[in-house]
Amino acid sequence: MMLSGPLLALFIVYHLLHFTTGQAHPHFIKQDAYWNFVTGFKVVWTAAAYVVCMLALGLHLAHGAYSASQ
């Protein structure tokens, strides 16, 4: 949790820069979520990073829910 929390916080910042403001997305079009999604995930390393981060987020939340129920 001590490692995954800050890493996920960095991912959230990247995600906002990538899909909300477009600063990390070279072909960003405001108000066109489908275009931004499709062109954003055509870059293989970006798609792979999102898959890894979503798995880490799932594990992080599962551990947090388990710990909270103890």
Side-chain angles (χ1 to χ4, degrees):
M1 290 294 275
M2 291 173 55
L3 180 61
S4 65
L7 290 176
L8 288 172
L10 289 174
F11 168 71
I12 290 169
V13 169
Y14 175 74
H15 175 74
L16 291 173
L17 290 173
H18 190 234
F19 284 127
T20 304
T21 65
Q23 294 172 343
H25 192 309
H27 305 290
F28 184 80
I29 298 175
K30 189 175 182 178
Q31 301 296 322
D32 194 353
Y34 180 76
W35 169 260
N36 294 331
F37 176 81
V38 170
T39 59
F41 285 113
K42 283 186 178 179
V43 180
V44 175
W45 72 266
T46 302
Y50 265 87
V51 169
V52 169
C53 288
M54 289 298 112
L55 290 172
L57 178 62
L59 291 172
H60 182 83
L61 292 175
H63 178 74
Y66 176 78
S67 295
S69 67
Q70 294 299 310

